[in-house]
Amino acid sequence: MSFRYLKSASKIVCIGRNYAAHIKELNNTIPKQPFFFEKPTTTLITPLTSGGTVNNKNDATFTKLQEDGTNPSPIYIPKNVNVHHEIELGIVIKNTLSNISVDKFGPQDLLDNVSGFFLALDLTGRNVQSDAKKVGLPWFFAKGYDTFCPVSQMLTPEQISGFKDTPIDQIHSKFQLKCFVNDTLRQDGHLDLMLNPLHKIVSHIAQAVTLQSGDLVLTGTPAGVGQLHAGDTIRGQLLFDDEVIIDMSFDCQDRPGTYEYKSS
């Protein structure tokens, strides 16, 4: 497993409202068509290793990815921002995909164009997002604060035990996401709860916006999202066929510096 895949990412594209129960808990409506948003690559952080140091200098919350792709850092909670966790499966795109046909891009096409899978937290400033939506403004900050995309190392399909032997129509039911905050289980769901399966997510993006080799796609979150506070520890797990294949943890701290969210 490696973090070097992050060095090639030109963008992070995310699908919104892809699990019905999550839509319901936020009192949103099911979209008629999949919709997407982008997180800047400056949101990317990786777990701190034992005895490791934070990759931040002079109160900067992002400097650059290290040579091995890592950006060790805690999650920083901006002042007056209600930060919600959203655990998600991430896909790393292998080949450039552009102007493709949604109807002709199937599950095997997806697997042929995926380098690997990773675990991600799509952190959201919920009050920032809500305030912007109320007045019809974009909510870039809500998804784009520094440290708002914690990720794990990538696993190739060959590194996932049993993946290659699993019938293609059963892969979604084998993947499972779990999220714990201070050892309390908050989110737990299989990918077969998705409204749009993985190949539909990628094809809908690449029909309109080119996905380049190395780009990252986040695939939605199950129900159970909740608030994070400074002092919390959040842990995410990705399972395949009931076996934990990725396990990552991050501590939460107050964001350094002078930024403070003020509702307009």
Side-chain angles (χ1 to χ4, degrees), residues 54-63 73 76 146 255-257:
V54 175
N55 188 34
N56 302 321
K57 298 177 181 178
N58 301 322
D59 285 340
T61 49
F62 184 87
T63 49
S73 174
Y76 287 127
D146 294 342
R255 177 185 169 113

Side-chain angles (χ1 to χ4, degrees), residues 84-88 120-122 124 126 143 187 221 225:
H84 276 201
H85 57 80
E86 301 182 15
I87 193 77
E88 309 201 7
L121 285 164
D122 169 24
T124 304
R126 192 67 69 197
K143 294 287 189 176
Q187 294 182 267
T221 194
V225 302

Side-chain angles (χ1 to χ4, degrees), residues 27-86:
N27 295 315
N28 289 322
T29 58
I30 296 176
K32 294 180 180 179
Q33 296 289 333
F35 79 93
F36 303 90
F37 57 90
E38 190 174 355
K39 296 175 81 80
T41 55
T42 47
T43 58
L44 291 167
I45 59 170
T46 60
L48 277 165
T49 58
S50 178
T53 58
V54 175
N55 188 34
N56 302 321
K57 298 177 181 178
N58 301 322
D59 285 340
T61 49
F62 184 87
T63 49
K64 64 178 181 178
L65 297 178
Q66 297 183 2
E67 191 61 34
D68 61 359
T70 60
N71 180 32
S73 174
I75 293 166
Y76 287 127
I77 309 294
K79 189 173 183 180
N80 294 335
V81 175
N82 179 354
V83 179
H84 276 201
H85 57 80
E86 301 182 15

